[in-house]
Amino acid sequence: MHEKKTEKKPSSQVSPYSAVGIVAAQSLGEPGTQMTMRTFHYAGVAEHVPTGLPRLIELVDSKKEPKKSVVEVYLKKSLASKESEAQDVAFDMESVLLSEVALVQEDLAGKKIVITLKEGEAKLLGVKMDMVKEAVKKTVGAHKVEARGNRMHVTLGVGIAPKAKTKKQKEKEAAEGPAAPTPLKELRKLTMKVGKSLVKGVAGIKRSVVLKGDGEYFIRASGFNIKDIVKIEKVDGSRIYTNSVIEIEKTFGIEAARNALIREISSVMELQNLNVDKRHIMLLADAMTADGKVKSIGRHGLSGEKAGVMGRAAFEETIKHLVNAAITAEDDNLVGVTENIIVGQTIPIGTGRIKLGMKVRK
Amino acid sequence: MAQEVEKIIEKVRFSLFSPEMVRELSAARIVVPDTYDDDGYPIDGGLVDSRLGVVDPGLRCKTCGGRVKECPGHFGHIDLVRPVAHVELSKQMYLVMRATCPHCHRATVNEEGKPAKGTCPHCSGPLNDIKYLKPTTFFRDGNMMLPTEVRDWLAPITNDELKKVGWNPDYARPEWGIISVLLVSPVNVRPSITLESGERSEDDLTHKLVDIIRINQKLEANINAGAPQLIIEDLWELLQYHVTTYLNNETANIPPARHRSGRPLKTLAQRLKGKEGRFRYNLLGKRVNFSARTVISPDPMIRIDEVGVPTKIAEELTIPIPVTEWNVEECKKYVIATAYPKALYIIRPDSRKIKISDELRKDLTEELKIGYTIERQIIDGDICLFNRQPSLHRISMMAHEVRVLPGKTFRLNPTTTTPYNADFDGDEMNLHVLQTQEAQAEARLMMKVEDQIISPRHGHAIIKPQEDHVSATYFFTKPETVFSKEEAAKLLYIAGITELPKPDEGKEYSGRALFSLLIPADLSMKTTSKLGEEIVISKGQIKKGALESRALGSEILERMFVRYGSKATRDFIDSVTKMSLEALSWYGFSVSMKSYTLSPAAVKKVKDIEDKVNREVENLILQYKNGKLERSPGLSLKETLEANIMMATSKARNDAGKVVEQDFGIANTSIIMAKIGARGSLLNAIQMGALVGQQAVRSKRLTRGYYKRTLPFYKKGDLTARERGFVMNSFRTGLLPDEFFHAAMGGRESLVNTAIRTARSGYMQRRLIHALQDLVVEEGGEVRNGRNAIIQFVYGGDGKDPMLAGSTQFAESAKQDDVDTV
């Protein structure tokens, strides 16, 4: 009944002028309607980690920081099988702020800050007095610090060099005489700062949990700070993972960010049991990272920098684009799809790119 | 068709109008703040002055002499007695002033290329501190600047200096942002509408222009009368307000100008902006002719690449046929015809279109010759585009062949509902008849349904036998299925096979043998079915196993598409669906209440599971209350309890699932459908037969409603299974009132989520499309964007088309298959 086709087998190569961008956008956008909005739960580390559509939107927006960032840290191969080592590293990583282990009080009359160590909490979190002392010294800078047992006094204004004054202040001073210092305000500011000073651990890392996977123990923690985590001796710096694309871009560069984007988008799709060809995801990631830095989809990123004035005006912020184009006498060279539709011409994509002429017999 | 050389727009340049250019462009100076006189004629010098064009039929334009449709409209102008600032340009003017010197009018950049402070690096004059207060106010060293002062600052700046601050003075100068001559749009742009009562209602823009002229006149009168400066400045500010709202009525910090009814006016910026603005509504979207829309309904007997078109629609839609030496006779037949397949119009070579009326029919038939074009009603086999909104991907619009059918709905083959995401609960779809030969050729070559069987999203079949086809094929290809000679003949005839093969089971025909006739004779493959059986097809004959959704939908279909082409695959889908549906109707495939009734033994087992989960939950709560519950890492005690309870309830449902599966058995239609992937899942069977299970909102047990409980008659703070939304009844036994309420709570969440999701994903897709739409594979195989920058050196890293890459494994493994199964 069926005869095998004798004609040339269709090549699986893409044809020139294929509208691969549109197909990629559709392939990623169309399943959006089928995605669930359920959030994901990393037990003990982060709750309500977005998955599905909200996560996908977060990725294409390439926000500064994901809503719930998570970092996975692996130990050096030789230590990886020991749970206790992993526990140690996890414990070392968790950041502890001064206000968590000590009472920070202001002595308004004495213009002092009184810091009292809360022994119970400190012991539980592995904080010792000298760690506190060091942390406080680091934050207060040149102010005078005295330590007596579990107590510390930071006295304001003793031994601080006056801040370099700006030109304006100098002018003002010349006119009105030196401005009266407001020590109480300074005191309050410093108290807040002291309370937030890092006593122990890696800045930004909050909760961590040791997990077992693939024959070794690894640590999953909320937050991210790859630069400082790598400094921990037992950590294998070559196997660290975070779901923050921006953090990856900052520490490892644009190529790594591209790979992270592909990986993250793929995992969103997989988790929803949606099948999308890798090539579409790659194209999106490549378009977002082509200029050397991660750019978002939308008016502040790729769409806002498109070639044609009319294309940009048709998307968002119509008036702004038209006005700016007018004062610089910008040309729209009609290179995009939107622009050509607006002027009523064939689009420069697909069969629209083929120019075919025929001589008419006279 | 002789085509003239088209004009091609190469580029579009944007610029500003100078006051001189406005005067030059203007056809009339507008001075009267009124439109029509008492007789209904345009007032000279009024806002609908007949020099600005005509909108009323019968009148002629005083500028070009054209009638309503001929005159394109002409601009006018209003001379403002005092100039005002342009809202949208104010910020840019501020930036220029901040960067220039008020004395020597040069850019205040010092030798290092940094902005100078204090004094001008060129003339050493003191620089002013310029402040800008949105939308149109400027301050110089704390004193308000009048627009005239701004203009005096900006006007003397030389072209070279302007270039330094980013302007292109050949096309736009900053002082043109101070409006002294206001351009008045042609009447065509702001036509008035006549209501049924004969009353005229003017456009929003006209209203705004009336306001501007009124204030302008008042201001002039006050100046001439020598009114105090204070009053003049107040009126000047009022004029500024009116001009500002004329340009943009949504300016921040300015109350929008309103219509008498209180509705904010739609002025210039509002006309361009947003979804209903000029760009997105009129320039990127167009209304079209030669299209139709109606409700859709299924017809499994038409081919997948056909669309059933109601006769009424077919009589209305036409297709242009150029008359050539090969089809003159045929065309004449259409012109002379008076019933359905007839021509409605003929078009002479000079493009004059003539409607074929009864009186003209004879003459026109004789007149018809080569070079003419006729517009013929659509007939079977014509190509058209079929579309369902929302058009989320390219397969939301495919090319179908017309099949004229009685009735009033569009008919489509049910297998094509997947790409359109259509169902038949009242969906409507659109049909477009292609009018040029190029478009028709392109549609036939690239957009036909059979060419879209494989989805470009993942490279797997998207148009494939579904639901009943799968169930039927499964039974059909089971080894025990046999048909008599008569039955076999009927089935084969439906599938389009008219030759009866030799019986293979004594006098009877096995279902496999009949089905194998549809499979290409040299196709061989081996796979494992969803039921874990081995399926073997050798040289087009099913040897082992019964076909289920995966074997049928992806394995066979995708192999066929790659090796035998789209037409063969289309025919395969058509004959499989027709044949299987016919066989299924003989077999009688259905469900009844009995299908979901558990045996007494199984009921007991389910009851035990329920008791067990209740006990477990109570136990957990007891542990929690006695403080004996062990906290899970990273969770609070309460969270640990909830997590454990959730685990217990979901385990209960799984246990019930095992009971259901065992008790219903493999012969139960629901179980079969779930297993072969025809429709539904085991969960559906569990919920109907055994118990519905835990209801959840935000992945947590139900807690909302009343204080510490979901319904008022529960004990406050009770944490037991039932109180927190565990539904122990099945859909068959029916839910208790509180269970029903809990089920509704869970149901509502999913409804809300769907509503939010569609809006959010729609916007995301719009952004994605906009960002990626200009990416094209060039001849060298690299991907470039609109700026011609390379995005990928080789598309996808391997240059493969995702649509074809997914299934090419079948092409490459063709030989492998043959060896394996022989």
Side-chain angles (χ1 to χ4, degrees):
Chain A
M1 182 189 167
H2 296 283
E3 275 174 51
K4 199 163 182 172
K5 283 264 168 91
T6 44
E7 64 192 64
K8 219 177 101 194
K9 217 186 283 168
S11 154
S12 61
Q13 293 296 114
V14 259
S15 332
Y17 312 134
S18 284
V20 287
I22 296 177
V23 174
Q26 291 178 347
S27 298
L28 290 161
E30 188 262 341
T33 39
Q34 301 164 35
M35 285 196 231
T36 54
M37 303 255 274
R38 234 181 295 129
T39 53
F40 193 69
H41 209 94
Y42 283 123
V45 179
E47 291 167 1
H48 305 301
V49 179
T51 56
L53 188 63
R55 175 68 179 148
L56 189 62
I57 291 174
E58 192 174 88
L59 283 167
V60 298
D61 278 348
S62 77
K63 290 233 179 77
K64 281 276 164 306
E65 206 179 295
K67 242 189 191 157
K68 301 281 169 171
S69 43
V70 167
V71 65
E72 272 166 28
V73 178
Y74 293 82
L75 301 189
K76 291 205 168 116
K77 278 263 158 68
S78 54
L79 304 166
S81 58
K82 286 179 206 142
E83 192 178 355
S84 59
E85 296 282 356
Q87 293 284 13
D88 285 352
V89 173
F91 191 70
D92 287 347
M93 264 168 55
E94 275 186 56
S95 63
V96 176
L97 303 185
L98 185 71
S99 54
E100 289 174 54
V101 290
L103 209 63
V104 182
Q105 288 166 309
E106 298 166 306
D107 178 356
L108 294 178
K111 290 185 186 120
K112 277 195 291 196
I113 303 167
V114 182
I115 300 158
T116 323
L117 193 71
K118 290 189 265 186
E119 298 215 355
E121 279 92 339
K123 211 171 175 189
L124 204 71
L125 294 166
V127 175
K128 291 196 186 92
M129 192 57 196
D130 42 335
M131 289 163 80
V132 176
K133 216 154 86 185
E134 207 173 301
V136 172
K137 269 190 181 162
K138 219 169 160 185
T139 6
V140 300
H143 295 280
K144 195 177 147 200
V145 180
E146 290 168 287
R148 251 176 266 132
N150 279 343
R151 238 166 224 229
M152 279 175 75
H153 292 268
V154 180
T155 318
L156 194 73
V158 181
I160 22 164
K163 254 192 254 162
K165 281 172 185 157
T166 58
K167 221 189 229 170
K168 244 188 196 165
Q169 275 176 317
K170 265 187 193 163
E171 277 165 23
K172 214 176 166 190
E173 237 166 78
E176 302 162 13
T182 48
L184 292 185
K185 218 170 158 186
E186 292 255 323
L187 186 71
R188 173 60 56 87
K189 250 194 196 161
L190 195 67
T191 316
M192 305 294 272
K193 220 169 122 193
V194 167
K196 280 184 197 145
S197 58
L198 184 74
V199 180
K200 178 190 150 271
V202 179
I205 304 296
K206 267 162 236 144
R207 298 199 273 180
S208 67
V209 147
V210 173
L211 296 161
K212 193 176 179 171
D214 219 12
E216 63 176 322
Y217 290 93
F218 68 96
I219 300 146
R220 184 182 285 149
S222 68
F224 56 80
N225 188 346
I226 294 181
K227 252 188 186 155
D228 289 343
I229 290 172
V230 175
K231 284 183 195 150
I232 300 173
E233 213 174 290
K234 290 169 184 169
V235 167
D236 184 352
S238 63
R239 296 189 296 156
I240 197 161
Y241 167 77
T242 171
N243 62 358
S244 165
V245 174
I246 295 298
E247 172 77 358
I248 289 180
E249 187 201 359
K250 265 198 293 195
T251 32
F252 298 111
I254 193 72
E255 281 291 327
R258 181 194 97 109
N259 292 337
L261 262 177
I262 295 174
R263 177 181 166 151
E264 289 297 317
I265 297 173
S266 303
S267 77
V268 169
M269 294 293 173
E270 249 162 62
L271 218 67
Q272 303 280 331
N273 280 323
L274 292 168
N275 194 354
V276 176
D277 196 287
K278 267 262 156 71
R279 279 163 265 255
H280 301 311
I281 300 170
M282 282 164 70
L283 187 70
L284 174 70
D286 278 326
M288 285 174 72
T289 54
D291 285 3
K293 56 176 192 253
V294 179
K295 281 196 180 141
S296 66
I297 303 289
R299 65 171 161 249
H300 302 298
L302 282 176
S303 299
E305 295 169 13
K306 274 183 40 162
V309 181
M310 289 187 283
R312 275 178 275 133
F315 179 57
E316 268 162 19
E317 301 180 311
T318 311
I319 310 294
K320 185 187 113 187
H321 285 297
L322 294 180
V323 166
N324 289 340
I327 66 166
T328 50
E330 191 177 338
D331 285 352
D332 191 317
N333 290 310
L334 307 180
V335 288
V337 176
T338 321
E339 296 91 308
N340 278 287
I341 294 176
I342 288 174
V343 299
Q345 286 182 166
T346 326
I347 57 167
I349 271 193
T351 47
R353 281 282 281 273
I354 312 277
K355 301 270 187 297
L356 197 61
M358 194 172 108
K359 263 189 191 162
V360 183
R361 237 186 316 163
K362 277 183 188 157
Chain B
M1 262 190 290
Q3 280 248 296
E4 278 164 53
V5 179
E6 285 176 45
K7 278 183 189 157
I8 291 173
I9 303 172
E10 192 187 304
K11 61 183 175 191
V12 177
R13 180 166 294 167
F14 292 83
S15 67
L16 297 181
F17 276 136
S18 71
E20 294 72 41
M21 287 156 87
V22 172
R23 284 218 171 78
E24 204 175 303
L25 195 66
S26 168
R29 179 165 173 241
I30 309 301
V31 284
V32 186
D34 207 353
T35 49
Y36 295 94
D37 60 20
D38 297 336
D39 307 326
Y41 284 100
I43 298 170
D44 274 348
L47 278 161
V48 289
D49 190 301
S50 38
R51 285 169 292 177
L52 300 186
V54 278
V55 278
D56 311 281
L59 295 177
R60 274 181 182 277
C61 168
K62 277 191 186 153
T63 305
C64 65
R67 279 179 221 276
V68 170
K69 281 211 167 159
E70 302 156 353
C71 169
H74 312 278
F75 283 98
H77 75 275
I78 298 171
D79 279 314
L80 301 180
V81 268
R82 287 283 184 272
V84 291
H86 189 299
V87 244
E88 305 297 339
L89 289 167
S90 289
K91 188 167 184 211
Q92 299 297 332
M93 288 192 285
Y94 156 69
L95 293 175
V96 173
M97 282 197 283
R98 211 178 54 168
T100 50
C101 168
H103 315 292
C104 65
H105 305 284
R106 295 178 67 182
T108 54
V109 201
N110 55 25
E111 293 85 54
E112 295 131 59
K114 282 184 187 149
K117 278 179 186 166
T119 52
C120 171
H122 307 291
C123 68
S124 310
L127 292 183
N128 293 133
D129 178 29
I130 299 290
K131 285 257 158 58
Y132 167 56
L133 183 72
K134 273 181 182 171
T136 47
T137 326
F138 303 92
F139 294 94
R140 167 200 248 165
D141 292 335
N143 303 319
M144 214 207 331
M145 284 176 92
L146 293 172
T148 39
E149 293 176 89
V150 175
R151 191 172 58 189
D152 292 343
W153 181 319
L154 296 170
I157 302 174
T158 60
N159 285 357
D160 289 342
E161 295 299 315
L162 271 182
K163 279 177 192 155
K164 286 183 194 161
V165 288
W167 285 59
N168 186 336
D170 296 336
Y171 293 92
R173 287 193 53 90
E175 73 270 18
W176 297 347
I178 302 293
I179 305 165
S180 51
V181 187
L182 186 70
L183 196 63
V184 174
S185 58
V187 274
N188 303 250
V189 174
R190 41 184 179 88
S192 60
I193 31 172
T194 316
L195 299 169
E196 285 157 46
S197 55
E199 232 180 303
R200 264 221 153 91
S201 176
E202 290 300 328
D203 191 274
D204 283 2
L205 282 186
T206 311
H207 279 304
K208 206 60 236 179
L209 286 166
V210 169
D211 291 343
I212 292 173
I213 299 174
R214 274 217 190 102
I215 298 304
N216 197 38
Q217 279 178 344
K218 204 166 168 192
L219 181 59
E220 190 174 20
N222 272 287
I223 291 168
N224 291 340
Q229 187 65 19
L230 207 68
I231 290 180
I232 291 177
E233 272 176 29
D234 272 0
L235 282 171
W236 195 346
E237 211 161 290
L238 196 55
L239 184 66
Q240 172 76 64
Y241 167 79
H242 284 304
V243 174
T244 299
T245 47
Y246 170 68
L247 297 167
N248 185 355
N249 202 17
E250 278 165 18
T251 314
N253 304 328
I254 283 241
R258 287 173 192 280
H259 190 252
R260 258 170 303 165
S261 61
R263 164 185 66 86
L265 295 176
K266 226 181 151 194
T267 54
L268 286 174
Q270 281 64 52
R271 287 187 166 209
L272 305 178
K273 251 183 172 172
K275 199 171 168 188
E276 262 103 57
R278 198 86 328 131
F279 280 96
R280 280 173 72 185
Y281 199 78
N282 302 105
L283 292 169
L284 293 173
K286 294 269 186 274
R287 292 183 175 267
V288 292
N289 287 323
F290 306 103
S291 61
R293 178 185 176 97
T294 183
V295 176
I296 51 165
S297 51
D299 188 344
M301 301 312 280
I302 60 171
R303 289 201 319 265
I304 58 167
D305 64 328
E306 284 181 316
V307 55
V309 179
T311 346
K312 266 196 169 165
I313 289 176
E315 281 168 356
E316 208 61 49
L317 295 173
T318 61
I319 201 162
I321 311 281
V323 182
T324 62
E325 55 181 297
W326 307 285
N327 70 358
V328 210
E329 289 313 309
E330 196 194 337
C331 289
K332 284 200 168 167
K333 256 192 271 168
Y334 285 121
V335 177
I336 199 82
T338 50
Y340 162 58
K342 65 180 182 185
L344 297 186
Y345 294 92
I346 73 168
I347 300 163
R348 293 208 179 108
D350 62 1
S351 354
R352 283 252 328 257
K353 195 169 178 177
I354 301 142
K355 187 168 179 160
I356 303 174
S357 58
D358 287 335
E359 303 90 67
L360 289 174
R361 184 163 286 122
K362 267 231 169 94
D363 297 341
L364 289 174
T365 315
E366 270 158 39
E367 189 192 330
L368 194 75
K369 53 177 182 275
I370 298 158
Y372 278 56
T373 304
I374 64 165
E375 289 202 336
R376 188 207 67 200
Q377 290 171 331
I378 53 168
I379 54 169
D380 286 5
D382 281 339
I383 197 83
C384 61
L385 297 185
F386 202 39
N387 159 241
R388 178 182 178 274
Q389 277 111 359
S391 312
L392 293 173
H393 50 188
R394 71 178 193 198
I395 37 188
S396 289
M397 187 177 252
M398 294 189 285
H400 289 250
E401 280 180 18
V402 169
R403 175 90 178 258
V404 180
L405 294 174
K408 285 182 176 172
T409 57
F410 284 134
R411 250 57 56 80
L412 71 150
N413 189 296
T415 50
T416 57
T417 52
T418 344
Y420 291 121
N421 194 16
D423 49 41
F424 302 108
D425 61 2
D427 289 23
E428 289 180 48
M429 283 178 72
N430 302 323
L431 184 91
H432 301 268
V433 180
L434 300 172
Q435 297 292 307
T436 68
Q437 310 239 291
E438 290 92 329
Q440 288 173 23
E442 214 169 287
R444 278 190 199 276
L445 286 172
M446 302 193 300
M447 295 181 71
K448 282 294 287 288
V449 174
E450 62 260 30
D451 294 315
Q452 320 297 330
I453 289 171
I454 307 291
S455 163
R457 185 173 104 203
H458 47 240
H460 295 289
I462 185 155
I463 298 171
K464 57 190 175 191
Q466 299 164 354
E467 309 198 351
D468 270 3
H469 314 136
V470 175
S471 311
T473 310
Y474 177 71
F475 290 119
F476 212 108
T477 52
K478 271 178 123 174
E480 60 267 28
T481 310
V482 284
F483 295 101
S484 70
K485 189 178 172 184
E486 287 72 27
E487 288 169 335
K490 264 187 193 164
L491 287 173
L492 291 179
Y493 180 73
I494 282 169
I497 298 169
T498 44
E499 230 169 284
L500 198 63
K502 276 187 185 149
D504 58 339
E505 303 268 324
K507 279 191 170 174
E508 298 188 306
Y509 293 83
S510 72
R512 276 177 178 176
L514 296 183
F515 193 88
S516 297
L517 290 173
L518 306 176
I519 303 172
D522 57 351
L523 188 118
S524 299
M525 62 173 241
K526 211 170 164 183
T527 182
T528 316
S529 79
K530 281 187 169 170
L531 300 161
E533 274 183 281
E534 199 182 33
I535 296 174
V536 179
I537 297 174
S538 177
K539 299 239 169 348
Q541 295 295 314
I542 302 171
K543 298 281 184 206
K544 233 173 134 186
L547 300 181
E548 33 65 274
S549 67
R550 195 169 53 217
L552 185 65
S554 14
E555 298 278 342
I556 298 183
L557 220 59
E558 285 165 28
R559 273 186 173 78
M560 281 192 69
F561 190 82
V562 172
R563 287 195 226 157
Y564 305 92
S566 54
K567 296 275 182 299
T569 319
R570 176 196 72 192
D571 294 340
F572 177 73
I573 296 173
D574 279 329
S575 36
V576 166
T577 52
K578 278 193 237 170
M579 194 160 104
S580 60
L581 285 182
E582 180 70 15
L584 197 68
S585 70
W586 298 348
Y587 183 88
F589 188 75
S590 183
V591 294
S592 71
M593 278 295 268
K594 224 175 94 192
S595 317
Y596 300 106
T597 311
L598 291 171
S599 67
V603 171
K604 174 127 200 329
K605 278 188 199 161
V606 173
K607 186 86 190 52
D608 288 346
I609 292 170
E610 283 167 10
D611 290 344
K612 204 178 126 207
V613 72
N614 275 329
R615 271 201 313 278
E616 270 174 41
V617 172
E618 271 161 34
N619 199 7
L620 284 166
I621 295 168
L622 207 66
Q623 282 179 34
Y624 167 71
K625 285 192 172 150
N626 295 340
K628 283 189 181 148
L629 194 71
E630 204 184 312
R631 197 170 70 92
S632 302
L635 294 181
S636 72
L637 210 56
K638 188 83 192 278
E639 286 167 345
T640 312
L641 174 71
E642 285 296 318
N644 286 342
I645 293 176
M646 282 297 268
M647 233 138 73
T649 53
S650 80
K651 190 175 165 287
R653 196 155 72 178
N654 285 338
D655 292 344
K658 277 176 210 145
V659 175
V660 166
E661 203 181 340
Q662 204 185 15
D663 192 61
F664 284 175
I666 188 66
N668 182 287
T669 46
S670 255
I671 305 282
I672 293 173
M673 286 193 290
K675 287 209 162 174
I676 60 175
R679 190 76 220 236
S681 63
L682 193 58
L683 181 66
N684 298 138
I686 298 170
Q687 291 194 324
M688 287 188 281
L691 79 172
V692 173
Q694 181 67 52
Q695 299 300 308
V697 167
R698 298 200 168 175
S699 321
K700 290 209 171 85
R701 297 203 301 159
L702 305 176
T703 54
R704 309 149 147 230
Y706 294 87
Y707 182 66
K708 287 187 174 179
R709 63 221 146 130
T710 59
L711 286 168
F713 49 82
Y714 292 141
K715 243 172 88 186
K716 278 175 198 160
D718 209 333
L719 296 172
T720 52
R722 181 164 172 189
E723 270 83 345
R724 287 289 147 104
F726 187 71
V727 179
M728 262 169 267
N729 278 302
S730 68
F731 286 133
R732 192 191 65 81
T733 55
L735 306 193
L736 293 168
D738 53 339
E739 291 179 328
F740 183 82
F741 187 82
H742 289 147
M745 286 175 79
R748 163 187 247 232
E749 191 198 23
S750 74
L751 286 182
V752 170
N753 275 346
T754 326
I756 295 170
R757 200 169 51 227
T758 36
R760 297 239 272 149
S761 91
Y763 180 48
M764 185 193 71
Q765 185 162 0
R766 192 173 114 76
R767 273 152 51 199
L768 278 172
I769 297 272
H770 202 265
L772 302 181
Q773 64 184 357
D774 297 331
L775 304 193
V776 174
V777 176
E778 294 291 333
E779 278 160 57
E782 80 278 16
V783 181
R784 286 175 191 263
N785 68 10
R787 289 210 151 89
N788 219 25
I790 295 179
I791 300 296
Q792 287 183 335
F793 290 98
V794 176
Y795 171 67
D798 56 4
K800 290 234 160 68
D801 184 344
M803 181 167 163
L804 305 166
S807 40
T808 30
Q809 41 164 330
F810 296 128
E812 276 143 25
S813 63
K815 283 202 173 125
Q816 192 75 33
D817 287 341
D818 296 337
V819 178
D820 281 351
T821 49
V822 169

